[in-house]
Amino acid sequence: DIVMTQTPLSSPVTLGQPASISCRSSQSLVHSDGNAYLSWLQQRPGQPPRLLIYKSSNRFSGVPDRFSGSGAGTDFTLKISRVEAEDVGVYYCMQATQFPHTFGQGTKLEIK
Amino acid sequence: QVQLVESGGGVVQPGSSLRLSCAASGFTFSRNAMHWVRQAPGKGLEWVAVISYDGSNKYYADSVKGRFTISRDNSKNTLYLEMNSLRAEDTALYYCARDAPGGVGTFDIWGQGTMVTVSS
């Protein structure tokens, strides 16, 4: 199975400041079709997960442009350019290149 | 609007069975692969199973293989998860999620979840 490792596990951030979360996979996420099926999801307290980024760098419909995804191979990053109060929650990376699909442990974003 | 609504959760004893349902609306259900994902209390997300748009292909997490069965009824716009030989470690909030059209593991729509508690 592909192991997904996120860092940091907790990220206190000041409102208006940037935040960055790293996700590393134990194997390359490049699929035979050339795509890297790496998604980022946000889970606000008491809510189901919500898709933010798919295929490493594609922002999902309705997601604010302060969220961006990058990376290739085994190293991926989610960046929030200016953190807002509504961004509080847990962020997960997930690989869907191979079965079983696997998630990172989650990174808790909180406001300082 | 596009919606997924899970049901069927509850409190059961170890070794029991339970069937979860996920009712889809607002989109053409028969065009999308569908997934089950679970979340134990206070823990992270765990992918459980996937079924292709027509039900011909299914994959499972090792932790549930041989005990859980994913299925769908496209005429009823409903996804199912049959869970047998339940264990305490299966206690979790179970979400169904849609795989985006043309996407691979792009979980674009999620339900609110249904809670399963396995306890004696």
Short mmCIF file of all heavy atoms in Angstrom, two decimals, chain A residues 2 4 23-32 34-39 72-76 94-98 102:
data_model
loop_
_atom_site.label_atom_id
_atom_site.label_comp_id
_atom_site.label_asym_id
_atom_site.label_seq_id
_atom_site.Cartn_x
_atom_site.Cartn_y
_atom_site.Cartn_z
N ILE A 2 0.39 2.31 -0.62
CA ILE A 2 1.11 3.58 -0.62
C ILE A 2 0.83 4.32 0.69
O ILE A 2 -0.33 4.53 1.04
CB ILE A 2 0.71 4.45 -1.82
CG1 ILE A 2 1.08 3.74 -3.13
CG2 ILE A 2 1.39 5.82 -1.74
CD1 ILE A 2 0.66 4.49 -4.38
N MET A 4 0.97 7.67 2.88
CA MET A 4 0.96 9.11 2.70
C MET A 4 1.35 9.77 4.03
O MET A 4 0.71 9.51 5.04
CB MET A 4 -0.42 9.58 2.27
CG MET A 4 -0.96 8.87 1.03
SD MET A 4 0.03 9.12 -0.42
CE MET A 4 -0.31 10.85 -0.75
N CYS A 23 2.88 16.84 1.74
CA CYS A 23 2.40 15.45 1.69
C CYS A 23 3.40 14.66 0.85
O CYS A 23 3.69 15.02 -0.29
CB CYS A 23 1.01 15.42 1.06
SG CYS A 23 0.32 13.76 0.85
N ARG A 24 3.91 13.61 1.45
CA ARG A 24 4.88 12.78 0.75
C ARG A 24 4.36 11.36 0.64
O ARG A 24 3.83 10.80 1.62
CB ARG A 24 6.22 12.79 1.49
CG ARG A 24 7.30 11.92 0.87
CD ARG A 24 8.65 12.24 1.45
NE ARG A 24 9.14 13.55 0.98
CZ ARG A 24 10.31 14.08 1.35
NH1 ARG A 24 11.09 13.45 2.19
NH2 ARG A 24 10.66 15.25 0.89
N SER A 25 4.47 10.77 -0.53
CA SER A 25 4.00 9.40 -0.73
C SER A 25 5.19 8.44 -0.75
O SER A 25 6.30 8.80 -1.14
CB SER A 25 3.22 9.29 -2.04
OG SER A 25 4.00 9.69 -3.14
N SER A 26 4.93 7.20 -0.35
CA SER A 26 5.99 6.19 -0.28
C SER A 26 6.38 5.66 -1.66
O SER A 26 7.41 5.01 -1.81
CB SER A 26 5.58 5.04 0.63
OG SER A 26 4.41 4.43 0.14
N GLN A 27 5.54 5.94 -2.66
CA GLN A 27 5.84 5.57 -4.05
C GLN A 27 5.37 6.70 -4.95
O GLN A 27 4.52 7.50 -4.56
CB GLN A 27 5.08 4.29 -4.45
CG GLN A 27 5.29 3.08 -3.62
CD GLN A 27 4.35 1.95 -4.03
OE1 GLN A 27 4.03 1.78 -5.21
NE2 GLN A 27 3.90 1.18 -3.06
N SER A 28 5.90 6.73 -6.14
CA SER A 28 5.45 7.74 -7.10
C SER A 28 3.96 7.61 -7.35
O SER A 28 3.42 6.50 -7.45
CB SER A 28 6.20 7.57 -8.43
OG SER A 28 5.66 8.45 -9.40
N LEU A 29 3.30 8.78 -7.45
CA LEU A 29 1.86 8.79 -7.70
C LEU A 29 1.53 8.98 -9.18
O LEU A 29 0.38 9.21 -9.54
CB LEU A 29 1.19 9.89 -6.87
CG LEU A 29 1.27 9.71 -5.35
CD1 LEU A 29 0.43 10.77 -4.65
CD2 LEU A 29 0.85 8.31 -4.91
N VAL A 30 2.54 8.88 -10.02
CA VAL A 30 2.28 9.03 -11.45
C VAL A 30 1.61 7.77 -11.97
O VAL A 30 2.15 6.66 -11.91
CB VAL A 30 3.58 9.30 -12.24
CG1 VAL A 30 3.28 9.40 -13.74
CG2 VAL A 30 4.24 10.57 -11.74
N HIS A 31 0.40 7.95 -12.47
CA HIS A 31 -0.39 6.86 -13.02
C HIS A 31 0.13 6.50 -14.41
O HIS A 31 0.87 7.29 -15.01
CB HIS A 31 -1.86 7.32 -13.10
CG HIS A 31 -2.85 6.24 -13.36
ND1 HIS A 31 -3.23 5.89 -14.64
CD2 HIS A 31 -3.55 5.44 -12.52
CE1 HIS A 31 -4.12 4.92 -14.58
NE2 HIS A 31 -4.34 4.64 -13.30
N SER A 32 -0.27 5.36 -14.92
CA SER A 32 0.14 4.95 -16.27
C SER A 32 -0.35 5.93 -17.34
O SER A 32 0.21 5.98 -18.44
CB SER A 32 -0.36 3.54 -16.58
OG SER A 32 -1.76 3.47 -16.40
N GLY A 34 -0.15 9.10 -16.97
CA GLY A 34 0.66 10.31 -16.84
C GLY A 34 0.20 11.28 -15.77
O GLY A 34 0.92 12.22 -15.44
N ASN A 35 -1.00 11.08 -15.23
CA ASN A 35 -1.50 11.97 -14.19
C ASN A 35 -1.07 11.50 -12.80
O ASN A 35 -0.84 10.31 -12.59
CB ASN A 35 -3.04 12.03 -14.22
CG ASN A 35 -3.56 12.73 -15.44
OD1 ASN A 35 -3.21 13.88 -15.70
ND2 ASN A 35 -4.40 12.05 -16.20
N ALA A 36 -0.99 12.44 -11.88
CA ALA A 36 -0.77 12.12 -10.47
C ALA A 36 -2.10 12.35 -9.76
O ALA A 36 -2.56 13.48 -9.65
CB ALA A 36 0.32 13.00 -9.87
N TYR A 37 -2.68 11.26 -9.27
CA TYR A 37 -4.01 11.37 -8.67
C TYR A 37 -3.89 11.65 -7.17
O TYR A 37 -4.13 10.79 -6.32
CB TYR A 37 -4.84 10.12 -8.98
CG TYR A 37 -5.20 10.08 -10.45
CD1 TYR A 37 -4.48 9.28 -11.33
CD2 TYR A 37 -6.22 10.88 -10.94
CE1 TYR A 37 -4.79 9.28 -12.69
CE2 TYR A 37 -6.54 10.88 -12.30
CZ TYR A 37 -5.82 10.07 -13.16
OH TYR A 37 -6.12 10.08 -14.50
N LEU A 38 -3.52 12.87 -6.89
CA LEU A 38 -3.35 13.36 -5.54
C LEU A 38 -4.37 14.47 -5.30
O LEU A 38 -4.43 15.44 -6.06
CB LEU A 38 -1.92 13.90 -5.34
CG LEU A 38 -1.43 14.35 -3.96
CD1 LEU A 38 -1.98 15.73 -3.56
CD2 LEU A 38 -1.72 13.33 -2.88
N SER A 39 -5.19 14.27 -4.28
CA SER A 39 -6.22 15.26 -3.94
C SER A 39 -5.94 15.83 -2.56
O SER A 39 -5.28 15.20 -1.72
CB SER A 39 -7.60 14.61 -3.91
OG SER A 39 -7.98 14.13 -5.17
N ALA A 72 4.80 16.84 -7.69
CA ALA A 72 4.88 15.76 -8.67
C ALA A 72 5.62 14.59 -8.04
O ALA A 72 6.32 14.76 -7.03
CB ALA A 72 5.62 16.23 -9.92
N GLY A 73 5.42 13.43 -8.64
CA GLY A 73 6.15 12.25 -8.17
C GLY A 73 5.72 11.80 -6.79
O GLY A 73 4.67 11.15 -6.64
N THR A 74 6.51 12.16 -5.79
CA THR A 74 6.20 11.74 -4.42
C THR A 74 6.04 12.91 -3.46
O THR A 74 5.74 12.69 -2.28
CB THR A 74 7.32 10.84 -3.86
OG1 THR A 74 8.55 11.58 -3.85
CG2 THR A 74 7.49 9.57 -4.70
N ASP A 75 6.22 14.12 -3.92
CA ASP A 75 6.17 15.29 -3.03
C ASP A 75 5.15 16.31 -3.50
O ASP A 75 5.24 16.81 -4.63
CB ASP A 75 7.55 15.95 -2.93
CG ASP A 75 8.51 15.11 -2.12
OD1 ASP A 75 8.36 15.07 -0.89
OD2 ASP A 75 9.39 14.47 -2.72
N PHE A 76 4.23 16.64 -2.61
CA PHE A 76 3.12 17.53 -2.95
C PHE A 76 2.90 18.54 -1.84
O PHE A 76 3.23 18.28 -0.67
CB PHE A 76 1.84 16.70 -3.18
CG PHE A 76 2.00 15.69 -4.27
CD1 PHE A 76 2.50 14.42 -3.99
CD2 PHE A 76 1.68 16.00 -5.58
CE1 PHE A 76 2.68 13.48 -5.00
CE2 PHE A 76 1.86 15.06 -6.59
CZ PHE A 76 2.35 13.81 -6.31
N MET A 94 -4.79 12.73 -0.28
CA MET A 94 -5.26 11.39 -0.59
C MET A 94 -4.75 10.98 -1.96
O MET A 94 -4.80 11.78 -2.90
CB MET A 94 -6.79 11.35 -0.61
CG MET A 94 -7.35 9.94 -0.79
SD MET A 94 -9.02 9.93 -1.44
CE MET A 94 -8.72 10.19 -3.18
N GLN A 95 -4.26 9.75 -2.06
CA GLN A 95 -3.81 9.27 -3.37
C GLN A 95 -4.85 8.30 -3.92
O GLN A 95 -5.39 7.45 -3.20
CB GLN A 95 -2.42 8.64 -3.30
CG GLN A 95 -2.30 7.33 -2.56
CD GLN A 95 -2.74 6.11 -3.37
OE1 GLN A 95 -2.79 6.16 -4.61
NE2 GLN A 95 -3.07 5.02 -2.69
N ALA A 96 -5.10 8.43 -5.22
CA ALA A 96 -6.03 7.53 -5.90
C ALA A 96 -5.38 6.94 -7.14
O ALA A 96 -6.05 6.48 -8.05
CB ALA A 96 -7.30 8.29 -6.28
N THR A 97 -4.06 6.96 -7.15
CA THR A 97 -3.34 6.36 -8.27
C THR A 97 -3.41 4.84 -8.23
O THR A 97 -3.46 4.17 -9.26
CB THR A 97 -1.86 6.81 -8.24
OG1 THR A 97 -1.81 8.22 -8.51
CG2 THR A 97 -1.01 6.06 -9.25
N GLN A 98 -3.45 4.32 -7.01
CA GLN A 98 -3.40 2.88 -6.84
C GLN A 98 -4.40 2.45 -5.78
O GLN A 98 -4.67 3.20 -4.82
CB GLN A 98 -1.97 2.54 -6.39
CG GLN A 98 -1.61 1.09 -6.30
CD GLN A 98 -0.17 0.94 -5.82
OE1 GLN A 98 0.08 0.52 -4.69
NE2 GLN A 98 0.79 1.26 -6.67
N THR A 102 -5.35 5.76 -0.32
CA THR A 102 -4.89 6.02 1.04
C THR A 102 -4.83 7.51 1.32
O THR A 102 -4.56 8.31 0.42
CB THR A 102 -3.51 5.38 1.29
OG1 THR A 102 -2.64 5.66 0.16
CG2 THR A 102 -3.62 3.87 1.45
#
